């Protein structure tokens, strides 16, 4: 299942500004010298804060469309 968006005001299906908040747990691996490499990022929570239609400039008519992948 994938989630798409559709703007019912202009019919846009392809261009949106999406603001989302993502919580990621990562394995921080420091060398003795203090160099960092970040490994195994794991998204533990994702919240979509707003979806705005690029053409209309607002998200008042944007709705989620769920379809089978
Ligand atoms: Zn639109």
């Amino acid at each position: 299942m994938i989630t798409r968006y559709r703007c019912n005001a202009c019919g846009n299906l392809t261009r949106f500004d999406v603001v989302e908040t993502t919580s990621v747990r990562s394995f921080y691996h420091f060398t003795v010298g203090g160099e960092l490499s970040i490994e195994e990022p794991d998204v533990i929570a994702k919240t979509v804060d707003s979806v705005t239609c690029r053409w209309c400039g607002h998200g008042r008519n944007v709705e989620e469309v769920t379809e089978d992948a």
Side-chain angles (χ1 to χ4, degrees), residues 7 9-12 53 55-56:
C7 177
C10 69
N12 170 25
C53 174
W55 308 135
C56 297

Side-chain angles (χ1 to χ4, degrees), residues 1 7 20 27 38 42 44 46 50 55 58 60 62 68:
M1 297 280 268
C7 177
E20 54 188 18
F27 172 46
I38 300 173
D42 185 18
I44 53 179
K46 188 160 117 172
S50 72
W55 308 135
H58 61 74
R60 287 193 287 277
V62 175
D68 293 317

